[in-house]
Amino acid sequence: NGFWLERLAQALPTIAYPHTLFDFKNPLATMQNENKEIVDLYIPRKCSWTNRLIEAKDKASVQFAVGDIDPASGLYTGDTKTIAIAGYVRHHSESDMAVWHLHTKGTRSAATQK
């Protein structure tokens, strides 16, 4: 029994991640790609409205890109603005106001407009 578990532990890094250089036995090891550049497994996002961190378990959060339109011609310019809204904001029914303020006014809240 112990023999096969030991063999599996030795083969696991090559089976699970054949395209990376990840060492499960070294706690200080980092994930690297083929060019030996350090890459993270998870990059946390922040809510654009509240500046709270959006957790990985926040299934109600959304992220989308809003396109910029040229005011003179009315055509899409090719630029986008990425907006991330946390599930907390959506739960309190403030996401539509947040997206409108973030895109049109470029501010975080209506209180800064006064």
Side-chain angles (χ1 to χ4, degrees):
N1 246 355
F3 173 76
W4 290 111
L5 289 175
E6 196 172 303
R7 296 278 299 197
L8 181 63
Q10 290 172 353
L12 189 61
T14 57
I15 293 171
Y17 301 99
H19 60 285
T20 59
L21 303 171
F22 190 77
D23 184 9
F24 285 100
K25 295 177 184 173
N26 184 359
L28 300 177
T30 57
M31 184 71 85
Q32 296 178 352
N33 60 11
E34 293 86 11
N35 299 331
K36 298 192 178 188
E37 298 168 344
I38 297 174
V39 292
D40 290 329
L41 294 174
Y42 174 70
I43 300 172
R45 298 177 293 158
K46 286 182 86 172
C47 178
S48 301
W49 185 248
T50 62
N51 282 336
R52 291 182 179 198
L53 280 178
I54 298 175
E55 299 176 2
K57 293 183 179 182
D58 188 357
K59 302 300 183 190
S61 64
V62 292
Q63 178 174 331
F64 51 91
V66 179
D68 290 332
I69 297 176
D70 184 24
S73 65
L75 297 175
Y76 173 61
T77 62
D79 296 331
T80 59
K81 184 176 191 178
T82 303
I83 296 176
I85 301 294
Y88 171 82
V89 177
R90 296 186 68 210
H91 177 71
H92 290 285
S93 303
E94 297 177 359
S95 58
D96 56 344
M97 178 184 62
V99 170
W100 183 80
H101 273 281
L102 286 168
H103 187 68
T104 60
K105 306 293 185 189
T107 60
R108 282 189 45 232
S109 68
T112 61
Q113 295 297 315
K114 294 180 181 178

